Amino acid sequence: EERYESLSPSEFFYRNREIAGFSNPTRALYQTVRELVENSLDATELHKIPPDIKIIISIKEPPDLVSILVEDNGIGIPHEEVPFVFGRVFYGSKYVLRQSRGVFGLGIKMAVLYAQITTGKPIWIRTSTMNSKIIAEYRIKMDISRNMPIVISANFRKKRSKWHGTIVKLITKGNWTLARRRIEDYIRRTAMITPYADIYFKGPDVELIFKRNTRKMPTPPKVGKPHPYGIDLEMLRRLIEIHNRNITLRDFIMKCFEGVGEGIAHNFLEWARLNGDKKLKDLSTSEIENLLNKMKSYRGWRRPRALSLSPLGEDLLRKGIERILSPEYVVTVTRKTSSYSGNPFIVEVGLAWGGKIPMVRSPILYRFANKIPLLYDEGVDVARQVVDKIDWSLYRVKFPAPLAVIVHLCSTKVPFKGVGKEAIADVVEVEKEIENAIKEAARSLRKYLTLIERKRALIAK
Amino acid sequence: EERYESLSPSEFFYRNREIAGFSNPTRALYQTVRELVENSLDATELHKIPPDIKIIISIKEPPDLVSILVEDNGIGIPHEEVPFVFGRVFYGSKYVLRQSRGVFGLGIKMAVLYAQITTGKPIWIRTSTMNSKIIAEYRIKMDISRNMPIVISANFRKKRSKWHGTIVKLITKGNWTLARRRIEDYIRRTAMITPYADIYFKGPDVELIFKRNTRKMPTPPKVGKPHPYGIDLEMLRRLIEIHNRNITLRDFIMKCFEGVGEGIAHNFLEWARLNGDKKLKDLSTSEIENLLNKMKSYRGWRRPRALSLSPLGEDLLRKGIERILSPEYVVTVTRKTSSYSGNPFIVEVGLAWGGKIPMVRSPILYRFANKIPLLYDEGVDVARQVVDKIDWSLYRVKFPAPLAVIVHLCSTKVPFKGVGKEAIADVVEVEKEIENAIKEAARSLRKYLTLIERKRALIAK
Ligand SMILES: Nc1ncnc2c1ncn2[C@@H]1O[C@H](COP(=O)(O)OP(=O)(O)OP(=O)(O)O)[C@@H](O)[C@H]1O
Ligand SMILES: Nc1ncnc2c1ncn2[C@@H]1O[C@H](COP(=O)(O)OP(=O)(O)OP(=O)(O)O)[C@@H](O)[C@H]1O
Ligand SMILES: [Mg+2]
Ligand SMILES: [Mg+2]
């Protein structure tokens, strides 16, 4: 009667591709640009390479056959990794505790899949890593039912230059006419949040050139360890399993968890009434469960630190806002590290006033998460909810007013509402930090507005 | 430098469980109830069994160890299928073109996973299919890194009665105090949309009993075929591959696609200038691409039919609304079958006025998709956007007013915004149909409101 089946991950996302942002040719074109650009920015910035990103969109065949090419000067992809990177869903290098744009190991595969099912064409890649002596060139499709790559062609040639980086080209069904505004908006906002990047975009009758206005870059994040508040039984069980079973409990918690030094380890073990000298291999299942409960309820752990994060900083954020919005006044605030459920995060906010910013009835909101511009689903984003609850009159802002709010959330785990990365869920700690950051910036804005009101009053006399 | 890894589907959803609705103990408890109840209602209703659903929640150990049990009189699960059904992500019987609550093959696995990582405990199942001579009892956990079940225990005994159905019990971390309102709300709305179901809910200091107020049930949906507007190259390639390669092109399109009879097949082949007698095995890749493009651009296909759908119908929808909202007046509208991208859908709307409905400043919205109550993310749901754009004054509704709007979308593919099934995306055809349905119902409401105004005017004299 009922027929029971198993689906591979690629099969699942083929059937439910709208959940990843590939619902129709307009949205798919936008999402494809995003996936490629975000990969290129990670490949450069995470390795402190000043990004040079080239994006070229052309109409291959009217009305809706579109070619997209993205080139970067990043670290490249090891040639033996290329087939899985482009042809296997849930494959990537971002599965570690470190702030990056990529997190799911899915993005580029969705673009490959959509191009393949609408045009039958493979993705084309040229790439070379920094130390490699060869340049690899591949054409790849996906075996969707098995979640495996199909290598259509693979060519390798000697590298005669110092070139490193990746060029990716796709031919896909896409609606440039309907998608262009969002794509241009996305690229503009990308330039806002990465003022140290050179971005060149060429589309059908449009050319956008953003030259870096600074060579200063944020410090790349380092891979971190889990924090006691972020663990569960599965994680704890695995950490114990992969470690030298002769290790003591004390050494284990110091080695495996974020911010646990000798002093804290000692205090915790005493409070929890656990024997720190007990060997890991001697822990029973119920003792492991007890350890978990004690670790989650102990209040003396250090707050998670910012080593695995990479905020812009107030100076770079200001530069990016000035470059794109040309305001009369900008204030930026980068908050201290906070955390939710053991995941460290930092909120950065900018308020931009006047200049080229239009008069609006409520603040224009620019949302970013891990330096990704978020353009859709503003209605359910926590940032919009905070902006709407602020009483702006307390800061001498009377609408209509030329006010833009820029909110940037950095985290090892951004609480995205979906795999399409469009909106941030209303996690209480994040909401509070966004509110505090906006109010902190708004107090500076108030000083400025008070100042120019006084000047006007003086001039008026 | 970068470390490349592959994740299994269960591993992916373990790390990103908030995307499936398992973000914290409060939300996870709500989602667990949903996943179990929705499975039980599919297991009964899809097979024309009047549903008897029992839901029992108890606090196992304060403050947050909760036991959840759900029992149904459905078709049960074949005992050899139980391990994969409960222990493998992307496994199920809902991967066919037929309206059902379940679609992803993921729901129960998320509940099993969350319980396991918070308490270490397996899920317990007792089940028996209608024709089976045995009752199977299992305790199951998940091997999360491999996406395989771990059978902790399996017992089988002779069935001495005619019992059939499934009982599922989980022990999980959950916040009953914070989740209870939403859970009760969910159960109440489930009773609204399934007036033919007996639902019994027992929780810590609460008991809800909903007895069916009708034995009439909607006709179960049948598994359908894809419509030409819903296909892509991958689908077409596979359909060709699995079919007898000696079949002619004409027989192929008549056999494999929705609503293609001899006449339509003939007209299409003539319009497309294709040879209907050509054997499938003789089609080249470019001929297959050409066939796809022709099928997608041909305007003479029949509209998708309602065979694979199962709307409530105006009568049952009215009964459900009356049972739960106790209004003074109800009007219900079930629209004709429509479609988007080849996916058939039906919109049903109810307007409820007065009686126990409170005075509100904008209509209370009850959203349903495939008979699932949607409680979160109203802000980005297409139904909310339509309700807010309606000029209610044209229908003699002046706020504050005691008005509730019930919107039910039935489809073989509900355009959910995420795997958590909380909101419906703004697909143009769906938006238009919801608007038309509400306006149609609003015209009846207007007649009623006009009538009672006249009565009042008469009485006033
Ligand atoms: N331009 C590039 N340069 C270097 N490495 C790349 C590039 N594009 C992709 N990769 C590698 O391929 C992997 C898979 O990319 P993909 O976009 O599918 O997933 P992701 O970026 O890890 O996560 P997400 O799904 O969130 O985007 C990346 O993790 C990265 O290691
Ligand atoms: N109470 C039940 N009675 C009968 N079959 C059930 C029951 N619960 C689950 N199943 C079977 O197990 C399968 C998997 O259930 P699961 O909830 O994981 O996925 P689904 O319901 O198919 O889709 P979704 O992820 O959208 O809920 C179902 O497709 C169904 O065949
Ligand atoms: Mg990516
Ligand atoms: Mg289900």
Side-chain angles (χ1 to χ4, degrees):
Chain A
E1 258 277 26
E2 294 282 298
R3 209 177 93 237
Y4 299 83
E5 299 176 65
S6 196
L7 295 190
S8 72
S10 46
E11 184 66 31
F12 177 83
F13 280 104
Y14 162 53
R15 296 179 185 218
N16 299 291
R17 53 193 179 268
E18 66 286 343
I19 279 180
F22 286 80
S23 32
N24 53 61
T26 303
R27 192 73 187 254
L29 184 60
Y30 169 80
Q31 198 68 23
T32 296
V33 171
R34 273 192 69 175
E35 299 298 354
L36 294 173
V37 169
E38 288 164 23
N39 283 351
S40 289
L41 285 167
D42 274 348
T44 45
E45 189 185 289
L46 285 175
H47 306 275
K48 210 141 193 189
I49 301 168
D52 288 330
I53 313 290
K54 193 188 298 180
I55 306 147
I56 302 180
I57 295 178
S58 52
I59 311 277
K60 195 104 173 102
E61 213 183 276
D64 59 7
L65 206 61
V66 182
S67 153
I68 302 153
L69 180 147
V70 174
E71 176 171 355
D72 64 66
N73 59 334
I75 53 156
I77 302 159
H79 64 86
E80 70 279 7
E81 292 289 352
V82 170
F84 269 34
V85 150
F86 290 91
R88 182 168 170 83
V89 168
F90 296 156
Y91 194 83
S93 64
K94 314 279 172 58
Y95 291 136
V96 292
L97 242 53
R98 166 191 64 171
Q99 172 186 330
S100 55
R101 293 166 181 79
V103 280
F104 297 129
L106 172 68
I108 190 65
K109 274 73 76 173
M110 291 309 303
V112 172
L113 190 147
Y114 191 83
Q116 179 174 322
I117 67 175
T118 54
T119 71
K121 299 191 190 304
I123 187 169
W124 172 88
I125 304 118
R126 178 185 295 160
T127 190
S128 185
T129 55
M130 297 174 91
N131 300 326
S132 172
K133 295 192 165 54
I134 55 169
I135 295 179
E137 222 170 274
Y138 276 91
R139 278 160 61 246
I140 288 173
K141 290 175 80 164
M142 279 177 77
D143 180 337
I144 297 173
S145 49
R146 290 206 197 86
N147 198 27
M148 290 294 286
I150 302 170
V151 177
I152 304 291
S153 68
N155 292 305
F156 307 97
R157 53 193 167 89
K158 261 185 175 313
K159 185 155 76 174
R160 306 188 184 287
S161 65
K162 285 198 169 298
W163 183 71
H164 59 83
T166 305
I167 312 175
V168 173
K169 186 177 182 199
L170 280 160
I171 298 185
T172 184
K173 193 157 178 246
N175 192 325
W176 166 251
T177 313
L178 292 183
R180 69 175 297 167
R181 271 201 54 221
R182 295 276 189 166
I183 291 174
E184 293 173 22
D185 204 356
Y186 174 83
I187 290 172
R188 205 166 278 125
R189 294 184 196 205
T190 296
M192 190 193 300
I193 205 73
T194 49
Y196 44 83
D198 264 3
I199 301 172
Y200 172 77
F201 171 61
K202 171 104 193 71
D205 42 79
V206 64
E207 195 182 49
L208 299 176
I209 305 176
F210 297 99
K211 289 243 155 277
R212 57 176 61 94
N213 62 4
T214 172
R215 287 208 76 86
K216 177 170 155 214
M217 284 180 67
T219 310
K222 300 197 171 26
V223 176
K225 298 178 203 165
H227 189 275
Y229 292 152
I231 55 171
D232 54 75
L233 270 175
E234 178 74 13
M235 210 187 279
L236 186 57
R237 191 186 58 77
R238 284 180 193 179
L239 285 170
I240 288 172
E241 228 160 88
I242 60 177
H243 273 81
N244 166 21
R245 309 280 266 149
N246 273 319
I247 196 177
T248 63
L249 178 58
R250 178 184 304 102
D251 287 342
F252 171 69
I253 63 173
M254 282 172 59
K255 181 175 191 292
C256 291
F257 297 98
E258 155 67 8
V260 184
E262 275 207 53
I264 288 188
H266 171 82
N267 292 341
F268 165 70
L269 291 166
E270 200 173 56
W271 170 89
R273 300 197 183 147
L274 292 168
N275 174 13
D277 294 315
K278 186 158 198 167
K279 296 272 199 291
L280 269 198
K281 64 184 198 282
D282 299 330
L283 287 176
S284 69
T285 309
S286 61
E287 283 178 302
I288 292 173
E289 286 181 27
N290 179 44
L291 173 63
L292 177 79
N293 291 330
K294 291 283 186 336
M295 288 182 81
K296 291 186 83 75
S297 31
Y298 183 61
R299 286 281 155 265
W301 300 115
R302 257 183 80 163
R303 301 158 43 113
R305 294 165 299 172
L307 295 177
S308 52
L309 300 180
S310 173
L312 265 188
E314 292 170 1
D315 194 42
L316 282 176
L317 182 56
R318 163 194 313 279
K319 283 199 156 57
I321 293 170
E322 287 172 343
R323 170 200 217 185
I324 300 301
L325 296 185
S326 303
E328 171 187 307
Y329 170 81
V330 185
V331 53
T332 54
V333 167
T334 295
R335 301 277 296 175
K336 286 198 166 41
T337 309
S338 193
S339 71
Y340 78 94
S341 307
N343 301 302
F345 72 88
I346 286 171
V347 169
E348 317 190 86
V349 157
L351 295 181
W353 176 275
K356 291 211 169 130
I357 296 172
M359 296 294 272
V360 285
R361 292 199 290 158
S362 75
I364 309 168
L365 178 57
Y366 293 93
R367 299 172 288 135
F368 298 91
N370 288 359
K371 299 180 190 122
I372 301 171
L374 310 180
L375 269 67
Y376 286 89
D377 288 353
E378 187 170 306
V380 282
D381 193 296
V382 62
R384 184 78 243 175
Q385 290 160 15
V386 173
V387 167
D388 288 347
K389 281 200 271 170
I390 301 250
D391 181 356
W392 290 97
S393 66
L394 295 178
Y395 305 97
R396 309 200 72 139
V397 176
K398 233 169 111 281
F399 292 101
L403 176 63
V405 181
I406 297 91
V407 177
H408 181 212
L409 173 68
C410 302
S411 183
T412 50
K413 185 161 176 63
V414 173
F416 286 117
K417 288 182 78 75
V419 293
K421 295 181 198 161
E422 281 302 349
I424 301 172
D426 56 346
V427 171
V428 154
E429 296 89 333
V430 172
E431 186 169 0
K432 200 82 202 101
E433 267 301 290
I434 293 175
E435 184 180 352
N436 290 337
I438 291 179
K439 287 179 173 176
E440 190 178 332
R443 289 192 284 273
S444 298
L445 175 65
R446 178 171 56 201
K447 283 208 186 85
Y448 174 78
L449 294 179
T450 308
L451 202 69
I452 56 174
E453 273 210 41
R454 272 193 205 138
K455 283 189 178 169
R456 263 191 214 130
L458 281 172
I459 292 171
K461 288 186 179 159
Chain B
E1 259 277 23
E2 294 282 295
R3 208 178 93 236
Y4 298 84
E5 300 175 65
S6 195
L7 295 190
S8 72
S10 46
E11 184 68 30
F12 178 83
F13 279 104
Y14 162 53
R15 296 180 185 217
N16 299 289
R17 53 193 179 267
E18 66 287 344
I19 281 182
F22 286 80
S23 33
N24 53 61
T26 303
R27 191 74 185 253
L29 184 59
Y30 169 80
Q31 198 69 23
T32 296
V33 171
R34 274 193 68 174
E35 299 297 355
L36 294 173
V37 169
E38 288 164 23
N39 284 350
S40 290
L41 284 168
D42 274 347
T44 45
E45 189 187 290
L46 285 175
H47 306 276
K48 210 139 193 191
I49 300 169
D52 288 332
I53 313 290
K54 191 188 302 180
I55 306 147
I56 302 181
I57 296 178
S58 53
I59 312 277
K60 197 104 174 96
E61 213 183 276
D64 59 7
L65 206 62
V66 182
S67 154
I68 302 152
L69 182 146
V70 173
E71 178 172 353
D72 64 66
N73 59 333
I75 54 156
I77 302 159
H79 65 85
E80 71 277 7
E81 291 290 352
V82 170
F84 270 35
V85 149
F86 289 91
R88 181 170 171 82
V89 169
F90 296 155
Y91 193 82
S93 63
K94 313 280 171 58
Y95 291 135
V96 291
L97 240 54
R98 165 190 66 169
Q99 174 187 330
S100 56
R101 294 167 182 79
V103 280
F104 298 130
L106 172 69
I108 190 63
K109 275 72 76 175
M110 291 309 304
V112 172
L113 189 148
Y114 192 82
Q116 179 173 323
I117 69 174
T118 55
T119 71
K121 297 192 191 302
I123 187 169
W124 173 88
I125 305 115
R126 180 186 295 160
T127 190
S128 185
T129 55
M130 297 174 90
N131 301 327
S132 172
K133 294 192 168 50
I134 55 170
I135 295 178
E137 221 170 275
Y138 277 90
R139 276 158 66 244
I140 287 173
K141 289 176 80 164
M142 279 177 74
D143 180 336
I144 297 175
S145 48
R146 290 206 195 86
N147 198 27
M148 289 296 284
I150 301 170
V151 176
I152 305 289
S153 66
N155 293 304
F156 307 97
R157 53 189 166 92
K158 264 189 175 309
K159 185 155 74 175
R160 304 187 185 287
S161 63
K162 286 202 168 295
W163 183 72
H164 59 83
T166 304
I167 313 176
V168 173
K169 185 177 182 196
L170 280 161
I171 297 186
T172 183
K173 194 160 178 242
N175 193 325
W176 166 251
T177 313
L178 292 182
R180 68 175 298 168
R181 271 201 52 221
R182 296 275 191 167
I183 291 174
E184 293 173 22
D185 204 355
Y186 175 83
I187 290 171
R188 205 165 278 126
R189 294 184 194 205
T190 296
M192 191 191 302
I193 205 73
T194 49
Y196 45 83
D198 264 5
I199 301 172
Y200 171 77
F201 172 61
K202 171 104 194 70
D205 42 81
V206 65
E207 197 182 48
L208 299 176
I209 305 177
F210 296 98
K211 289 244 154 278
R212 57 175 60 93
N213 62 2
T214 173
R215 285 210 78 86
K216 176 168 156 215
M217 285 180 65
T219 310
K222 301 199 169 28
V223 175
K225 296 177 201 163
H227 188 274
Y229 292 151
I231 54 170
D232 55 73
L233 268 176
E234 177 73 13
M235 210 186 279
L236 187 57
R237 192 186 57 76
R238 286 181 192 180
L239 285 170
I240 288 171
E241 228 161 87
I242 61 176
H243 273 83
N244 166 20
R245 310 278 269 150
N246 275 319
I247 196 177
T248 63
L249 178 58
R250 179 183 303 101
D251 287 344
F252 171 68
I253 61 171
M254 282 173 58
K255 180 174 192 294
C256 290
F257 297 99
E258 155 68 10
V260 184
E262 276 207 51
I264 289 188
H266 171 85
N267 293 341
F268 165 70
L269 291 165
E270 201 173 54
W271 170 89
R273 302 198 182 142
L274 292 169
N275 174 13
D277 294 315
K278 185 156 196 169
K279 296 270 198 287
L280 268 199
K281 63 182 198 285
D282 298 330
L283 286 175
S284 69
T285 308
S286 59
E287 283 177 305
I288 292 172
E289 286 182 29
N290 180 40
L291 173 63
L292 178 81
N293 291 330
K294 291 285 187 328
M295 287 183 81
K296 289 186 84 74
S297 29
Y298 183 60
R299 288 282 156 261
W301 300 117
R302 256 182 81 163
R303 301 159 42 116
R305 294 164 299 170
L307 296 178
S308 52
L309 301 179
S310 172
L312 263 189
E314 293 171 359
D315 194 42
L316 282 177
L317 183 57
R318 164 192 313 278
K319 283 200 157 56
I321 294 170
E322 287 172 342
R323 169 200 217 184
I324 300 302
L325 298 185
S326 303
E328 172 187 308
Y329 169 81
V330 184
V331 54
T332 55
V333 166
T334 294
R335 301 277 297 174
K336 287 197 165 41
T337 309
S338 191
S339 71
Y340 79 93
S341 307
N343 301 302
F345 73 88
I346 287 171
V347 168
E348 318 191 85
V349 157
L351 297 182
W353 176 274
K356 292 211 169 131
I357 296 174
M359 297 295 273
V360 285
R361 292 198 290 159
S362 74
I364 308 169
L365 178 57
Y366 293 93
R367 299 172 288 137
F368 298 91
N370 289 0
K371 300 182 190 117
I372 300 170
L374 310 180
L375 269 66
Y376 286 89
D377 289 352
E378 187 171 304
V380 283
D381 194 296
V382 63
R384 185 77 243 175
Q385 290 161 15
V386 173
V387 167
D388 288 346
K389 281 200 271 167
I390 301 249
D391 182 356
W392 289 97
S393 65
L394 295 178
Y395 305 98
R396 306 201 76 137
V397 176
K398 227 167 117 284
F399 292 101
L403 174 65
V405 181
I406 297 89
V407 177
H408 181 212
L409 173 68
C410 302
S411 182
T412 50
K413 185 160 176 65
V414 172
F416 286 118
K417 289 182 76 76
V419 292
K421 293 181 199 161
E422 282 302 348
I424 300 173
D426 54 348
V427 171
V428 154
E429 295 88 334
V430 172
E431 186 170 357
K432 201 81 203 101
E433 267 301 289
I434 292 175
E435 186 181 350
N436 290 338
I438 289 179
K439 288 179 171 176
E440 191 178 330
R443 288 191 284 274
S444 297
L445 175 65
R446 178 172 55 201
K447 286 206 186 83
Y448 174 78
L449 295 179
T450 308
L451 203 67
I452 57 172
E453 271 210 43
R454 273 191 207 138
K455 283 187 179 173
R456 265 194 212 126
L458 281 174
I459 291 171
K461 290 185 182 159

